[in-house]
Each structure stands twice: as C-alpha cells, then as structure tokens.
Amino acid sequence: MNGIILIIACLIAGKAVTAAITCKKEFIYSLNRVAITIALPALILDKVHSQAFSLEAIFPLLSPWILFFITIGLVYILRIFIPMSRITMGTLILLAGTSNTSFVGIPLIQAMMGTEQYLGIALWIDQSNFILLFTLGAFIADFYSGEQVSIIKNLKVLLKYPPIIALILAFLLKPFTYPEFVTYTLEAFGSLITPLTMISVGASLALPSNKKLVGYLSIGLIIKLILLPLIVLGILLFIYASPNVYINQIVLMQAGMAPMVIAVIIALEKGLDGELASIMTAIGIPLSFITVPLFYYLII
C-alpha cells in the first residue's frame, strides 16, 4: 500500500510542478534522462547482478517476443474488418507490441508486490523488451513507414543505450562480489527510479486533442491492456507456469503495461503516426494503473 501511495503522490507532484512552470518539455526530458542514464542502470547493476539465472528465466525473457508476434497477428486480423493504412498498422504493432516495462513497470511491480527478491526477473523482461524494440521493433517501423531497413544502425543504437550497457556489465561482474560501498551506492541511485519516472508520468498526463484517432486508439489499447495480458494469463493457466507464483505475477504484469515512451520516439523518427503513438502512451499509462493491478489479483 505504501508503494501505491508513493506513486499517487509522485503523479500529483508531477502535475502540480508542470502547472507552475513554462518549460514543461525540458523538465520531463531531464527527469527521463536521469532515470534512463543513472537510476535504471544502477538498478540493473544491482538486481540483475544479484539475481541467480535459472531455467525459470527463459519464459520471462521470451515473453516480450512472443507477445510482439501475437500483436502482429492481431493487427492483421483486425485489418480484415477495419480499414487501416500501413502507417497505422505499423504504429499499432510497435506501440501495442512493446511494453513500458521500466518507467511504469518497475515502480508498479515494486508497489504491488512489495518485494525486491524477484525484481531481477522484471528487469530481465525489461531488457528483453528493449532489445526487441531496437531490433525487430525498429525493423517493423522501417518496413511499415517505407524507409530503408538499417539493422546495423539499430544495433549500434542498442549497444550505446545505458541500460543495455549496464545489463552487459551486470553479467560480466556476476563472478565478483560488490564491495559494500558499491552496493550502497547502486541501491541509492536505483531507488530514484520510482520518484523520477512517476513524476515524469504525472507531468506528461494530458487528454487527447484529436478525436479522429479514437477508433485506432481504442484498438491499440484493447490489444495492449486487455488482450495481451489475457493471452499471457491463458498461457500461465493452461500451457506453462513457473512453480514460483512471483515469477508468474511479474510476467503477467509486465505483459499488461502501457505502451513505452521510447517506442513513441522511434515512431516519430521513422515516420509512423506520431500523434496516434503519443496518444496511446498518454492514455495507456494512467489506464494501466487500473488494469495491471486487476490482472495481478487474478493470479495471486
């Protein structure tokens, strides 16, 4: 409960601060940069390093990729009944097919579960999701926007991304024990992830101005927030589930997270429907604070 109250307080604080300043975009950008270059890498270096790798991690790692391919299939099925352009298809696949597993996922999981023991699992899903975004996701964005596909360029961007660098270092340093002062410093920086990201989300909250996109917005959010977690729930109930209920909860929650902010940036850069992408994220994030806890309680 304390974690939920912290998230609500941060959302209110973010909205209150931006109501009193004129440089809203710069403020949000600064918070995101600190979160993505300091707080999240520190959390990864701390939790992934200490999380023992086992076969139970395979399904969590594969889950973002499975859901991305399912999203492609769902969009193509819906296209039979609902006319949509290639640009719209690409935007829906990119935004519904990837999840906000770090900025929203990590704080929400910490708040709901109240345990740090399996946070490494959530971070593995998060990093798998990032690798997916910058490889297959970027390929989809290029393909549907009509741009030339540049796999090498996308991989270079991926390898320069601070959380990915932290992930590589965390695995390389696994044979070694951190000195106490390093652990303390990483924990301190990593604890910033919730206030930084939730204040940023609160500052970003806004209602859509373009009513014409409501239909496609509804399609994207139904896929992202309802159908995909339902599919994961079905997999966990009838096909495969870890004997560890915490891992199942984390996989289900991460599957139902809102569209990710960085996917919006890629959509804009690649020439997809930036307005639809932005609205899906702006509306999806606050809605996920309702839908994700509902799915969490389904599998307790």
Side-chain angles (χ1 to χ4, degrees):
M1 188 63 184
N2 289 337
I4 295 295
I5 293 172
L6 174 61
I7 286 178
I8 294 171
C10 289
L11 292 172
I12 295 172
K15 199 64 182 174
V17 168
T18 51
I21 61 176
T22 55
C23 51
K24 177 179 175 179
K25 289 184 178 180
E26 290 80 359
F27 174 71
I28 295 171
Y29 175 80
S30 298
L31 288 177
N32 290 344
R33 288 303 300 169
V34 175
I36 215 163
T37 59
I38 297 177
L40 184 56
L43 192 65
I44 291 168
L45 282 168
D46 179 23
K47 302 304 178 184
V48 172
H49 176 268
S50 60
Q51 180 77 51
F53 187 84
S54 67
L55 293 178
E56 288 186 341
I58 294 177
F59 179 61
L61 285 169
L62 289 177
S63 61
W65 298 79
I66 294 170
L67 293 177
F68 194 84
F69 283 108
I70 290 173
T71 303
I72 294 174
L74 289 173
V75 170
Y76 268 90
I77 291 171
L78 288 170
R79 188 193 182 199
I80 299 173
F81 307 99
I82 304 170
M84 60 181 76
S85 66
R86 283 175 59 87
I87 295 292
T88 300
M89 288 180 66
T91 305
L92 290 175
I93 291 170
L94 184 66
L95 270 292
T98 57
S99 300
N100 204 322
T101 49
S102 53
F103 281 17
V104 177
I106 300 301
L108 199 52
I109 286 172
Q110 287 178 313
M112 294 298 300
M113 300 185 67
T115 178
E116 300 286 321
Q117 186 177 0
Y118 298 103
L119 192 57
I121 297 291
L123 288 167
W124 285 341
I125 296 173
D126 177 53
Q127 296 307 290
S128 181
N129 186 55
F130 272 120
I131 293 170
L132 165 67
L133 177 67
F134 285 106
T135 52
L136 185 57
F139 172 84
I140 289 292
D142 286 334
F143 179 77
Y144 283 94
S145 65
E147 290 191 10
Q148 183 177 358
V149 176
S150 178
I151 297 174
I152 300 299
K153 180 182 177 181
N154 294 333
L155 287 175
K156 286 181 179 179
V157 172
L158 174 66
L159 292 174
K160 291 179 181 178
Y161 195 60
I164 296 298
I165 295 172
L167 179 69
I168 295 170
L169 287 174
F171 276 104
L172 291 176
L173 294 173
K174 267 189 176 293
F176 308 99
T177 302
Y178 290 153
E180 186 176 346
F181 73 90
V182 172
T183 301
Y184 178 82
T185 302
L186 291 176
E187 288 177 350
F189 281 144
S191 66
L192 295 174
I193 191 71
T194 296
L196 284 172
T197 56
M198 290 299 101
I199 290 173
S200 172
V201 168
S204 305
L205 293 179
L207 293 173
S209 57
N210 190 346
K211 307 301 182 184
K212 296 179 180 178
L213 296 177
V214 171
Y216 295 129
L217 170 65
S218 301
I219 291 171
L221 292 182
I222 288 172
I223 291 174
K224 183 76 216 66
L225 301 179
I226 299 176
L227 294 182
L228 292 183
L230 277 176
I231 289 170
V232 171
L233 181 62
I235 292 172
L236 293 173
L237 291 176
F238 302 110
I239 299 176
Y240 171 82
S242 169
N244 188 326
V245 67
Y246 292 113
I247 293 177
N248 297 331
Q249 289 172 335
I250 289 171
V251 170
L252 181 59
M253 291 174 73
Q254 288 288 50
M257 293 298 168
M260 64 192 308
V261 176
I262 299 173
V264 178
I265 297 172
I266 290 179
L268 290 167
E269 289 179 348
K270 301 294 187 179
L272 294 176
D273 191 333
E275 189 173 10
L276 175 58
S278 299
I279 292 175
M280 277 187 65
T281 303
I283 301 298
I285 288 175
L287 284 179
S288 69
F289 293 135
I290 300 171
T291 57
V292 170
L294 289 176
F295 280 105
Y296 166 75
Y297 286 116
L298 283 176
I299 202 167
I300 288 181

